[in-house]
Amino acid sequence: MEVVKTLVSLRRWRATTHRSVGLVPTMGFLHEGHLALVRKARAENDLVAVSIFVNPRQFGPDEDLARYPRDTEHDLALLRAESVDLVFIPTVDEMYPPGFSTSVDVGSLGERLEGLSRPGHFKGVATVVARLLNLTRPQRAYFGQKDAQQVIVVRRMVKDLALTVQIDAVPTVREPDGLALSSRNIFLSIEERQAASVLSRALFRAQESFEWGERDAQRIRQIVRDMLDLELLVRTDYVSVADAVTLDELEQIDRPALLSLAAWVGQTRLIDNLPLEA
Ligand code: AMP
């Protein structure tokens, strides 16, 4: 496994091969969710490249950039065990050299849901992903359904900029009690960790109600809100039932929809989602 830190060495690695490359962009502190992406990439490509970069441009000024968890040595050991070919770990200066001023803006898709609570977040995401795709020129790039809006935004960008990569979404990996794996789960106290399981329980309960025939989006949102409200350690940011393509909020669920939420558990903001599809 090759570990490179500069754009030049990443480009050089890419230039030496004509074989297919799968890219898995991450912010590190890897867990089984990330590894699910890596394994899919491993199965579908000749070579697998993983990037580890805590991208400052996707964090707001009051967000957790400074305390975002990092453990590069452990990440590298996990990736080595998955037979990854290349790991790209750039510094912030390497990714954004002095004078850097272009950004990729996906418009209203990036201003809903997470974008409302985190202005500029998806501009940061789209910009760094565009850069990673251009540097690595993979045939396929892998993203987690856990960050469903990110998948939608990246797919939109790839279409709009006529990039040739295929974007692959991988199902959310969960703990036994349903909590979606996230690098941020490390911040939860024992009590908060227990309380956090309500996020997925609420989503699954609402999905079940949809499967039993409920099509009123407001009633679905209310099922989730009511369950979250019962947990004293949980503060709801948003609960959304939106068109799975445009992310427009729905009144009636008459097309493929995304049920998603963001909530604070103590000082930690977590997101989760499930599809609503007949
Ligand atoms: P992050 O390091 O949080 O930026 O995540 C890197 C990639 O891993 C993103 O595409 C995430 O959607 C994906 N990912 C994170 N957590 C999970 C999970 N629990 N299941 C599946 N994919 C995940």
Side-chain angles (χ1 to χ4, degrees), residues 165-207:
V165 64
Q166 178 187 316
I167 302 301
D168 211 323
V170 178
T172 302
V173 178
R174 298 177 180 280
E175 298 283 3
D177 69 351
L179 179 67
L181 265 58
S182 163
S183 305
R184 290 187 170 97
N185 292 350
I186 187 92
F187 295 138
L188 301 172
S189 68
I190 292 171
E191 295 76 19
E192 289 167 353
R193 170 64 190 81
Q194 269 171 356
S197 70
V198 77
L199 274 56
S200 60
R201 270 189 287 122
L203 292 175
F204 280 115
R205 173 80 58 83
Q207 189 188 49

Side-chain angles (χ1 to χ4, degrees), residues 79-193:
L79 295 176
R80 215 167 271 126
E82 300 295 335
S83 306
V84 164
D85 299 283
L86 177 108
V87 185
F88 177 48
I89 315 184
T91 61
V92 173
D93 280 347
E94 187 70 20
M95 265 322 240
Y96 303 116
F100 188 97
S101 70
T102 302
S103 56
V104 180
D105 187 342
V106 291
S108 65
L109 266 187
E111 287 158 9
R112 321 232 159 131
L113 306 175
E114 282 302 281
L116 267 185
S117 299
R118 309 184 65 188
H121 171 68
F122 287 109
K123 219 163 139 176
V125 168
T127 304
V128 81
V129 171
R131 204 156 156 76
L132 289 169
L133 291 174
N134 273 328
L135 288 163
T136 317
R137 286 184 293 107
Q139 274 64 33
R140 284 167 281 271
Y142 297 82
F143 293 85
Q145 198 56 44
K146 153 92 182 354
D147 299 278
Q149 188 175 8
Q150 175 167 274
V151 174
I152 293 171
V153 161
V154 169
R155 286 205 164 120
R156 184 75 253 167
M157 172 188 77
V158 164
K159 236 186 205 158
D160 291 353
L161 298 184
L163 306 181
T164 51
V165 64
Q166 178 187 316
I167 302 301
D168 211 323
V170 178
T172 302
V173 178
R174 298 177 180 280
E175 298 283 3
D177 69 351
L179 179 67
L181 265 58
S182 163
S183 305
R184 290 187 170 97
N185 292 350
I186 187 92
F187 295 138
L188 301 172
S189 68
I190 292 171
E191 295 76 19
E192 289 167 353
R193 170 64 190 81

